[in-house]
Amino acid sequence: VQPLRCYYHPNGKSSMSAYPQVLCWESTEHIVIVIAGVLLGTLFLIPFMAACVWSMLRAPKMGSVDHLMRWRFLVYRFRPEKWWWGIIFLIRQVLFAFSSCIPAEQSLMQIIYFAVV
């Protein structure tokens, strides 16, 4: 998420919040960091989310204690008949993690994003 967190300068350009010397979308350093972030998201976030969704879709059929203990972080807060809420909360938390990508100058957009999520 850090490569997408940029703030604007008065001259119309923007820099990364974590590394002010790196210009967003103009310097090669930023492009490399964005590519690395996309790769990490593709290699870690998407497979983890897919495994969680797959596991929760199998949870009602499995019913084994071992399966439920392995994935308890998704099911322990909910009644057994509402097992699918774990998927919704997982997606919601990921969307909240990306909320920092909205620039601070666009406060109305941040409010709308939080209200929708």
Side-chain angles (χ1 to χ4, degrees):
V1 179
Q2 285 293 335
L4 302 176
R5 294 186 65 207
C6 299
Y7 67 93
Y8 293 102
H9 297 288
N11 64 0
K13 296 185 179 193
S14 59
S15 293
M16 286 181 56
S17 296
Y19 304 102
Q21 70 274 15
V22 177
L23 294 175
C24 292
W25 310 112
E26 294 181 18
S27 63
T28 56
E29 294 98 357
H30 186 255
I31 301 299
V32 169
I33 294 171
V34 168
I35 291 171
V38 168
L39 283 175
L40 286 174
T42 304
L43 295 175
F44 292 107
L45 180 65
I46 293 173
F48 176 74
M49 295 280 293
C52 290
V53 170
W54 175 79
S55 173
M56 288 297 93
L57 293 176
R58 290 192 49 186
K61 296 178 212 112
M62 288 286 286
S64 71
V65 175
D66 183 49
H67 180 79
L68 292 175
M69 288 301 289
R70 184 176 301 132
W71 300 98
R72 69 181 172 266
F73 69 96
L74 291 171
V75 295
Y76 77 94
R77 293 179 234 162
F78 313 109
R79 293 180 298 209
E81 63 271 7
K82 303 296 183 194
W83 55 268
W84 45 270
W85 273 101
I87 297 170
I88 292 172
F89 273 1
L90 184 67
I91 293 169
R92 181 178 171 251
Q93 294 304 97
V94 169
L95 291 174
F96 272 139
F98 282 98
S99 67
S100 64
C101 296
I102 300 172
E105 295 86 12
Q106 297 178 357
S107 57
L108 180 62
M109 185 58 118
Q110 286 180 343
I111 292 170
I112 291 171
Y113 184 83
F114 274 110
V116 169
V117 172

